[in-house]
Amino acid sequence: MKKLLLLAILALSACASPESRIRTGLISAGISPSVATCMAQRMIDRLSLQQLRRLQSISTSGDHRVGDLTVTQFLHRARALGDPEIVSVVASAGIRCAITS
């Protein structure tokens, strides 16, 4: 029974859209859900799959709990990736979404 439940969860997560995975990753990194939703919508069309995967590594660092990171702290971590395009997209999405959310 547990294996069946695990398989069902894995199947559902495989169906998740890239936008929902970005949103979930941002929330895991500590961005508030409303700001994460807004940022994911803006980032999905502006970054390549490889860039999005690099951003995902920020949320897997595990040294912060949900809600602990500000957009500024998240942006600092994005800078550490060494990709100016990622920084630009994250910064513009973060600023716009923090103001409007």
Side-chain angles (χ1 to χ4, degrees):
M1 184 65 164
K2 288 183 182 181
K3 287 182 182 181
L4 183 59
L5 180 61
L6 180 61
L7 287 173
I9 291 171
L10 289 173
L12 286 174
S13 67
C15 297
S17 71
E19 185 178 327
S20 68
R21 283 183 270 182
I22 293 168
R23 182 179 61 248
T24 301
L26 289 168
I27 292 169
S28 295
I31 305 296
S32 73
S34 62
V35 174
T37 298
C38 176
M39 287 179 70
Q41 291 168 347
R42 297 185 180 287
M43 291 166 46
I44 189 71
D45 292 329
R46 294 181 178 106
L47 295 174
S48 70
L49 183 57
Q50 181 181 10
Q51 289 169 317
L52 294 171
R53 285 183 181 150
R54 292 184 69 207
L55 263 177
Q56 184 179 12
S57 69
I58 294 173
S59 68
T60 59
S61 63
D63 59 344
H64 284 278
R65 287 186 242 193
V66 172
D68 286 350
L69 286 180
T70 64
V71 172
T72 303
Q73 291 168 325
F74 186 81
L75 182 58
H76 178 73
R77 289 179 175 216
R79 274 191 208 111
L81 296 174
D83 184 329
E85 187 175 14
I86 290 174
V87 174
S88 174
V89 170
V90 170
S92 64
I95 290 168
R96 177 173 271 176
C97 294
I99 291 170
T100 60
S101 295

